[in-house]
Amino acid sequence: MKRKIKGFNVIHEYLGKFEPYDIMPYLVSVYKNDKKKKWKYTQEPTTFDEFKRYILHNSMYQWWGRCEYEMILSDWPCQKNSEKWDIHMQVKMNIDIITEIFMENIGKK
């Protein structure tokens, strides 16, 4: 029986609506693929900090600077301040909890 992974949602704009977007399926699949390739292009992470770096690296590769994963945040109601954010920025600000969930999902905790 396949084990269901624990998710972690970030905010994603899709077709004009803001929706939750679970980043864990992508991160777990990348890890399994690297493991299957016997860590051909990278070194297997073993410590919490190494897993953090691994997640940030893969997050940057997938979600940083790609317009389909970016949105403009603005204050309300004044709308004087706005800033472009992407999924990678959301991962960075939650990296510790994401790392814990990720390690749990791959059986390393």
Side-chain angles (χ1 to χ4, degrees), residues 32-72:
K32 287 179 178 178
N33 193 37
D34 283 343
K35 191 174 182 177
K36 189 185 300 181
K37 291 180 180 178
K38 300 193 185 316
W39 304 98
K40 186 174 182 178
Y41 301 108
T42 187
Q43 187 175 357
E44 181 176 9
T46 55
T47 68
F48 189 81
D49 285 337
E50 288 173 357
F51 275 105
K52 280 172 56 170
R53 283 192 297 275
Y54 180 80
I55 291 166
L56 288 171
H57 169 79
N58 285 292
S59 170
M60 182 180 285
Y61 177 78
Q62 180 67 9
W63 297 303
W64 178 70
R66 293 172 62 185
C67 63
E68 65 265 35
Y69 299 114
E70 295 176 331
M71 64 187 140
I72 303 294

Side-chain angles (χ1 to χ4, degrees), residues 8 10 23 27 52-53 55-60 63-65 83-99:
F8 187 90
V10 295
I23 62 171
L27 294 173
K52 280 172 56 170
R53 283 192 297 275
I55 291 166
L56 288 171
H57 169 79
N58 285 292
S59 170
M60 182 180 285
W63 297 303
W64 178 70
E83 199 173 310
K84 182 178 76 162
W85 277 44
D86 57 24
I87 290 177
H88 177 66
M89 184 173 283
Q90 295 177 69
V91 170
K92 286 191 322 186
M93 67 184 222
N94 291 290
I95 189 60
D96 289 333
I97 189 67
I98 291 170
T99 303

Side-chain angles (χ1 to χ4, degrees), residues 14-30:
Y14 183 70
L15 298 176
K17 292 176 66 180
F18 294 105
E19 300 180 335
Y21 178 82
D22 188 0
I23 62 171
M24 279 300 153
Y26 172 76
L27 294 173
V28 170
S29 74
V30 167

